[in-house]
Amino acid sequence: MNLEAWVPRALITGITGQDGAYLAEFLLGKGYEVWGMARRSSTGGLHLDRLEWLGVLDRVNIVEGDIADMSSIMRIISECQPHEVYNLAAQSFVATSWQQPHLTADVTGVGVLNVLEALRILKSEARFYQASSSEMFGLIQHQEQSETTPFYPRSPYAVAKLYGHWITVNYRESFGMHASSGILFNHESPLRGEEFVTRKVTAGVAKIKLGLEKEIRLGNIHAKRDWGHARDYVRAMWLMLQQETADDYVVATGRTWTVEHMLNIAFDHAGLKVADHLVIDPALFRPAEVDVLLGKPDKAIANLGWKPTISLEAMICEMVDADIARLKRRMRA
Ligand code: NDP
Ligand code: GDR
């Protein structure tokens, strides 16, 4: 075999999302051939703007499919013959999971089984990454959450993620698959969806700064999260699949902050005062809240040689600057 000509091939489900776009960029940088599954929407075809923003769209092979449609996954795996599969597709917004619990179960939970079953039936030897979540810890059982902390999910989303996590562990143990579950804590970036709190704040600050809005409406600003940067976190996903043995890893910064603290960073950076613009809206409180999350990423640091490199402050400032620049471009157009 000519080893010099060998190019690793990765398939990413959820390539059009925040992590999918950064992971595609990262893998292309490592010399991978990157395939991505995307689903059609009636408004704008496929959602390719994040890949465009990173300037990688013309270097990835986009194939149409849906995580809830196992036949499309089987077709894609047969065509692609991937060496690595990153399963990032999900209904990922916690608040929506109370509005659409069945869809969340089908996509975020059973969708994982669809990919694992497709790999098993097709006898693929691809290594598999599952995008598990710190939301599975929910009502926390230990002050710091590691791979051995018991789970206590607090939303239909978290319950679905728990299914995805355990079915990944089960397929590893039942069939010897190289299947790893990354229990990732919140991670953000300028490509974060605008419904998530960091991006809602940075996009809101940009609008206020440019005189387009006066207020920002939020729910529970006392909730605490362990926030990292998506660029750092996609590197951890790849590292997991480079290990001889598949395993589960917590990926986090080991620091936790309130939403209020994050809000202050964003407003300060733009030279604005939170008190002049913040409205607390009871409608934005969740039926069951995850009050605090704090990850203990010791295993990822020790076994993967991974560590976070971007602070919350640097990330929020980057996001505010990106939102102001985006809005100015839109206003000029
Ligand atoms: P996003 O919401 O930005 O992206 C989700 C992706 O899933 C999008 O590409 C979306 O496609 C796709 N998708 C949704 N439904 C389907 C479907 N039925 N079939 C195929 N694709 C679908 O999420 P992130 O990038 O932030 O997160 C990536 C993964 O990591 C998710 O599984 C998330 O739950 C998990 N996670 C995220 C964390 C975070 O802090 N970001 C932390 C822990 C876990 P479309 O563009 O068409 O909507
Ligand atoms: P989360 O992220 O639910 O942790 O899930 P989100 O940014 O939505 O909420 C974080 C915290 O902020 C509080 N909050 C608000 N949240 C939103 N979205 N909008 C508001 O107006 C608002 N006001 C206060 C929330 O109550 C919550 O406590 C994210 C997702 O990416 C999941 O897919 C992922 O699994 C987890 O992170 C880890």
Side-chain angles (χ1 to χ4, degrees):
M1 185 167 63
N2 180 359
L3 279 178
E4 270 179 59
W6 190 76
V7 175
R9 202 159 39 251
L11 170 64
I12 305 173
T13 74
I15 195 166
T16 57
Q18 169 189 259
D19 292 6
Y22 279 113
L23 180 63
E25 182 193 44
F26 176 85
L27 294 175
L28 287 167
K30 292 259 171 220
Y32 278 67
E33 179 182 322
V34 176
W35 290 49
M37 185 175 87
R39 60 186 174 147
R40 179 190 166 271
S41 76
S42 66
T43 45
L46 308 169
H47 301 140
L48 303 172
D49 43 319
R50 290 186 171 104
L51 292 163
E52 227 163 3
W53 202 81
L54 290 174
V56 297
L57 179 56
D58 55 353
R59 295 168 61 206
V60 297
N61 187 7
I62 299 292
V63 278
E64 206 176 304
D66 193 297
I67 198 84
D69 174 23
M70 194 168 146
S71 64
S72 64
I73 301 169
M74 291 192 72
R75 172 179 48 76
I76 291 167
I77 290 172
S78 300
E79 272 175 39
C80 170
Q81 297 287 325
H83 303 105
E84 296 174 9
V85 175
Y86 295 86
N87 185 42
L88 310 185
Q91 188 304 94
S92 74
F93 188 40
V94 172
T96 289
S97 74
W98 279 283
Q99 311 300 327
Q100 300 185 40
H102 283 92
L103 176 126
T104 303
D106 288 346
V107 171
T108 306
V110 177
V112 186
L113 175 64
N114 290 340
V115 183
L116 286 165
E117 264 297 88
L119 290 169
R120 188 180 71 82
I121 292 167
L122 294 169
K123 299 191 171 31
S124 167
E125 291 193 357
R127 295 183 171 190
F128 176 81
Y129 172 83
Q130 167 55 19
S132 290
S133 166
S134 54
E135 281 292 297
M136 301 188 305
F137 295 119
L139 188 64
I140 55 167
Q141 304 294 298
H142 293 157
Q143 209 174 354
E144 289 179 299
Q145 299 90 53
S146 73
E147 296 77 8
T148 55
T149 305
F151 299 118
Y152 194 137
R154 293 270 281 172
S155 63
Y157 167 82
V159 173
K161 278 289 176 192
L162 208 50
Y163 177 82
H165 170 74
W166 281 117
I167 201 70
T168 301
V169 173
N170 180 259
Y171 268 53
R172 180 170 76 220
E173 293 176 354
S174 303
F175 305 116
M177 287 172 67
H178 194 294
S180 293
S181 172
I183 307 173
L184 271 52
F185 283 60
N186 299 54
H187 47 278
E188 322 290 314
S189 73
L191 294 184
R192 186 60 142 153
E194 277 197 44
E195 65 274 41
F196 299 95
V197 75
T198 52
R199 183 76 201 291
K200 182 173 175 181
V201 165
T202 63
V205 161
K207 285 180 197 145
I208 294 168
K209 183 73 183 172
L210 298 183
L212 301 174
E213 298 271 358
K214 288 202 162 48
E215 62 178 40
I216 181 161
R217 304 180 83 82
L218 293 177
N220 176 18
I221 60 168
H222 303 299
K224 294 175 92 174
R225 288 293 183 274
D226 179 330
W227 278 294
H229 198 297
R231 269 191 199 285
D232 277 336
Y233 286 40
V234 299
R235 194 172 66 251
M237 297 176 189
W238 174 77
L239 282 167
M240 283 177 219
L241 297 205
Q242 308 319 303
Q243 306 308 304
E244 202 49 45
T245 313
D247 207 341
D248 307 322
Y249 294 93
V250 157
V251 177
T253 70
R255 305 189 73 182
T256 191
W257 307 97
T258 59
V259 170
E260 189 173 21
H261 175 79
M262 179 273 296
L263 192 61
N264 276 308
I265 296 174
F267 273 78
D268 283 354
H269 185 62
L272 299 167
K273 285 205 178 78
V274 174
D276 295 341
H277 304 283
L278 176 64
V279 177
I280 298 295
D281 183 346
L284 293 168
F285 282 69
R286 295 179 175 177
E289 178 62 288
V290 172
D291 294 318
V292 55
L293 289 171
L294 171 60
K296 196 170 190 294
D298 297 15
K299 182 173 164 185
I301 292 169
N303 297 11
L304 303 179
W306 176 86
K307 65 171 195 286
T309 64
I310 305 168
S311 70
L312 175 67
E313 181 152 16
M315 178 176 75
I316 295 299
C317 294
E318 179 196 356
M319 290 171 69
V320 169
D321 292 343
D323 274 319
I324 290 175
R326 263 196 199 107
L327 215 49
K328 281 185 176 163
R329 267 198 307 276
R330 239 178 271 158
M331 287 163 79
R332 275 199 301 268

